[in-house]
Amino acid sequence: MGHLSATDDVASRDRNRRVRVPRLFAQIAKVWETSNLTAASRSHFVTTPQITINSPISSTREVTVSPILILAVLTPAVWFVHGYHPFADDAGIYVAGIRKLADPTLYQPDAAFVLANTRFSVFAHFFAAVVRTTRIPLAYLLLATHLTSIFVFLLSCWSLARRIFASPAAQWSAVALTGAC
């Protein structure tokens, strides 16, 4: 007469489960609201109705280092790993073009060959103008530009890594790996 099928039994258990879970959350919320802590202090304390545990007091101060400082230290490290070859391969042709543009008396017989690669680039003309106006030796200017480009590259990698990874360790690992490759 009062025989229930298997589906009715499952349905009644699901109904009871649905009723119990909201009651549990309501009880937790009630205990949380009745505690006399403000919202700001709740994040620093572990509370139950009977026990309050303060956050531990640390005797060591946390030192924060600027990311720019870390990148500035990482820049020469990357430079030492990869080396500096300003006159190797085709860079020698571009440097000769910069020298010719800075001092037109150089490379008289081979002027067409030396200036052939400078026609389509602003780089050589810009550097020649800087060398002419500031009298900074070209080797120092190329070194400063190389170090600056490494720094800006690492800065952009760090900025991109911050968008990709949540963990600071993962961010700096990505920057270090990029610098090492």
Side-chain angles (χ1 to χ4, degrees):
M1 181 162 156
H3 182 68
L4 295 174
S5 69
T7 56
D8 292 336
D9 189 36
V10 170
S12 76
R13 274 189 297 185
D14 285 345
R15 238 181 283 119
N16 288 339
R17 193 174 298 144
R18 280 190 220 124
V19 171
R20 276 186 267 166
V21 171
R23 284 185 191 156
L24 177 65
F25 286 127
Q27 290 172 350
I28 292 172
K30 184 177 177 183
V31 168
W32 186 257
E33 289 171 2
T34 57
S35 66
N36 58 358
L37 298 173
T38 64
S41 64
R42 285 183 188 154
S43 63
H44 299 295
F45 297 114
V46 176
T47 61
T48 64
Q50 300 86 13
I51 304 170
T52 301
I53 302 171
N54 292 334
S55 60
I57 298 173
S58 176
S59 61
T60 60
R61 290 184 357 162
E62 186 176 319
V63 177
T64 58
V65 180
S66 169
I68 300 299
L69 181 64
I70 295 171
L71 292 173
V73 170
L74 196 58
T75 297
V78 170
W79 180 56
F80 286 129
V81 166
H82 293 286
Y84 178 60
H85 315 284
F87 307 109
D89 299 329
D90 61 342
I93 296 170
Y94 294 115
V95 171
I98 294 170
R99 286 181 177 162
K100 173 66 177 165
L101 291 172
D103 185 6
T105 61
L106 295 174
Y107 310 114
Q108 290 295 328
D110 299 323
F113 174 74
V114 171
L115 293 176
N117 293 316
T118 63
R119 290 181 297 153
F120 303 112
S121 174
V122 177
F123 179 80
H125 296 281
F126 174 75
F127 271 79
V130 171
V131 167
R132 270 195 315 266
T133 57
T134 62
R135 303 285 185 205
I136 296 174
L138 182 60
Y140 294 147
L141 188 62
L142 289 173
L143 176 63
T145 304
H146 186 68
L147 290 173
T148 303
S149 68
I150 291 172
F151 177 80
V152 170
F153 173 71
L154 293 174
L155 180 65
S156 62
C157 289
W158 176 70
S159 177
L160 186 61
R162 285 183 55 204
R163 292 180 182 266
I164 296 172
F165 303 110
S167 163
Q171 295 167 6
W172 287 112
S173 296
V175 172
L177 182 63
T178 305
C181 293

